[in-house]
Amino acid sequence: MTGSHTELTGENLYRDPYPVYARLRAEQPVAFFEGTKEYFITRFDDCRTVGGNDKMFGPSGSTDRPEARVMGMPNVLTMSGEDHQCLREGIDQNLTQERVRSFVEGLTRPVVQRYIDSIKKNGEANLTVELFEPISVRCIGDVIGLTETPNEILVEWFHAMALGLQNVSNDAAIWKRLDDALADIDRQMGDLYQACLSKPNNSLLSHVMYGGMPKGEVRSWEEISPTMRVIILGGLQEPGHAAANACAGLLTNAGQAKVMAEQPQENAMRAFDEGLRWIAPIGVTPRVAREDFEIAGTVIPHGASVAIVMGSANRDATRFDDADSFDMFRKKKQHLSFGFRPHFCSGHFLSRAMGEIALAEVFRQLSELRLDPAREMKGKGWRFRGICELPAKWNA
């Protein structure tokens, strides 16, 4: 299949991974990808088997993985046991469902309104770049403590990191862009760390520094820096891209877009969650095999890197009817976009709550929202995937 769009290559994955995933699920559900030196697990049940067996498939702390180059080690995704539980206590402290409900309206609604107001009179926009990404980075940036960092900087950070994670071709320009972003992150976050040392506050950074620690003790910046990079990368992009993906799904289905416009509040959460399934913003989570393990007829050797491909599992027709289509009214079944315990996404309550507000207000306030037929809708990425160009029109 050399040259085919279904061949397992970095280029095909970045452009559109779903034809690749469909072939792998049918023909080679456990496939070794030479580009990242890892075994792809692509079927829903197999992904759940690997993801649910933390003793057999633990978090990967390999320095050979792209995550080590981008985030650094150890971080919250590579840790396990008591150290992981202690760190998660700090991260999760202000992200429980109860806590999110107490602040999400005040955090999100004014930001959503500001960006809707900025484009409403124009009658057209790239909704990803001009609306959903700015909403996401501003809200999550403020939660982290980056209240003085401009949106443009925050967007550059997560784009540079996401490109680094997917740099299968070892492009020097991508590594340079990544290194510049990481240096800026370390400088700005290092300054905020010093401020929180002097005066702890309610920022996520401060919670990570002090949460779960004995009274009077604090984690060092070197200790938490890799984890803060994980939070920056996943947190800044995920709510915005999930909302954009859901909006794209709605706008490609005129009937569901009409229902959404007529009853935005009633349907926003189901639309957002279907968007998470349809195009998983974070498409892969890494593991390492702690023993030889046979799955789907393939033996994964001890010490091998494994990629649980949630983006593929969520399109598995044995789990979801008409899996390639967006349908917010499909029978509710759990998807895998937020990962697996004990590494289940800390921000899932916040992401869903933000997405619900953003989608409801967009369809409520932008009259007769529709795709712009003169411009192409485009997506990109596979470890991190989103609709990057969402050209839309409405009645101004």
Side-chain angles (χ1 to χ4, degrees):
M1 289 203 177
T2 302
S4 167
H5 69 294
T6 67
E7 185 181 359
L8 181 53
T9 67
E11 182 180 356
N12 283 343
L13 290 171
Y14 191 79
R15 184 193 307 112
D16 183 1
Y18 295 111
V20 180
Y21 295 158
R23 183 184 67 79
L24 291 179
R25 288 193 304 270
E27 299 177 6
Q28 196 179 0
V30 178
F32 187 76
F33 179 35
E34 188 65 36
T36 53
K37 309 293 185 186
E38 60 192 344
Y39 286 87
F40 274 27
I41 312 296
T42 56
R43 290 178 179 169
F44 185 93
D45 287 343
D46 295 338
C47 285
R48 194 159 54 177
T49 294
V50 173
N53 192 342
D54 203 48
K55 291 183 179 179
M56 182 66 70
F57 293 97
S60 176
S62 170
T63 57
D64 294 331
R65 292 193 55 83
E67 288 84 359
R69 176 73 170 78
V70 175
M71 269 88 81
M73 300 285 187
N75 62 60
V76 65
L77 297 180
T78 69
M79 298 166 68
S80 59
E82 290 185 9
D83 289 342
H84 176 257
Q85 292 173 12
C86 181
L87 181 57
R88 279 293 296 253
E89 185 177 335
I91 297 170
D92 296 349
Q93 207 167 53
N94 207 35
L95 295 174
T96 64
Q97 187 173 33
E98 182 180 6
R99 287 294 301 135
V100 166
R101 284 174 174 169
S102 75
F103 69 76
V104 70
E105 284 282 333
L107 169 75
T108 308
R109 199 168 293 280
V111 176
V112 169
Q113 194 60 55
R114 184 195 322 162
Y115 285 103
I116 290 178
D117 288 345
S118 74
I119 65 170
K120 191 172 184 179
K121 64 182 181 299
N122 300 334
E124 62 180 12
N126 177 344
L127 293 182
T128 299
V129 173
E130 298 177 61
L131 190 67
F132 292 119
E133 275 188 358
I135 290 169
S136 183
V137 299
R138 186 68 276 144
C139 291
I140 299 300
D142 289 352
V143 168
I144 291 171
L146 293 159
T147 55
E148 302 302 317
T149 303
N151 276 18
E152 296 76 14
I153 298 297
L154 299 176
V155 169
E156 172 57 20
W157 287 357
F158 80 67
H159 278 305
M161 295 172 78
L163 283 170
L165 278 178
Q166 300 170 117
N167 190 17
V168 175
S169 62
N170 207 27
D171 187 320
I174 291 177
W175 292 134
K176 174 65 166 58
R177 183 177 177 182
L178 170 67
D179 290 339
D180 289 345
L182 295 181
D184 195 28
I185 290 170
D186 288 346
R187 180 181 62 80
Q188 293 201 41
M189 292 298 294
D191 290 345
L192 291 176
Y193 178 89
Q194 292 301 319
C196 290
L197 273 183
S198 302
K199 188 178 181 180
N201 55 42
N202 200 39
S203 68
L204 182 53
L205 172 62
S206 191
H207 283 294
V208 174
M209 290 168 61
Y210 294 97
M213 297 293 284
K215 188 175 181 179
E217 295 187 23
V218 61
R219 296 182 177 92
S220 69
W221 170 242
E222 290 72 24
E223 188 178 357
I224 67 171
S225 172
T227 290
M228 293 311 301
R229 292 181 183 180
V230 171
I231 292 170
I232 286 169
L233 175 55
L236 290 179
Q237 69 86 30
E238 195 273 344
H241 285 176
N245 297 345
C247 186
L250 288 165
L251 295 182
T252 56
N253 185 318
Q256 293 193 28
K258 185 175 184 291
V259 171
M260 183 69 183
E262 291 171 347
Q263 296 182 303
Q265 196 57 54
E266 293 83 350
N267 291 295
M269 182 59 81
R270 63 166 58 97
F272 185 78
D273 204 58
E274 171 64 355
L276 284 166
R277 181 207 66 84
W278 185 53
I279 302 177
I282 300 174
V284 174
T285 190
R287 292 289 189 271
V288 63
R290 289 175 168 161
E291 298 177 15
D292 289 357
F293 190 88
E294 184 173 349
I295 187 166
T298 298
V299 175
I300 299 175
H302 169 257
S305 289
V306 175
I308 305 173
V309 189
M310 294 101 71
S312 174
N314 288 348
R315 297 284 190 103
D316 191 335
T318 66
R319 172 71 175 181
F320 302 101
D321 294 337
D322 194 15
D324 286 330
S325 297
F326 178 97
D327 181 4
M328 67 176 173
F329 296 116
R330 71 171 58 251
K331 183 178 180 181
K332 188 171 179 59
K333 292 183 179 180
Q334 184 180 5
H335 55 70
L336 302 182
S337 293
F338 286 125
F340 305 87
R341 300 192 185 281
H343 296 276
F344 197 78
C345 174
S346 294
H348 67 103
F349 288 125
L350 180 57
S351 176
R352 282 189 163 113
M354 287 173 53
E356 180 180 25
I357 293 170
L359 279 177
E361 289 306 309
V362 165
F363 277 85
R364 185 176 71 83
Q365 297 189 46
L366 301 183
S367 175
E368 294 190 33
L369 184 64
R370 57 200 182 273
L371 290 175
D372 183 347
R375 294 188 290 165
E376 183 182 0
M377 185 174 73
K378 296 179 181 178
K380 65 180 181 181
W382 56 284
R383 285 188 179 277
F384 290 81
R385 184 163 183 84
I387 299 298
C388 55
E389 294 187 29
L390 182 51
K393 287 180 173 288
W394 57 90
N395 296 344

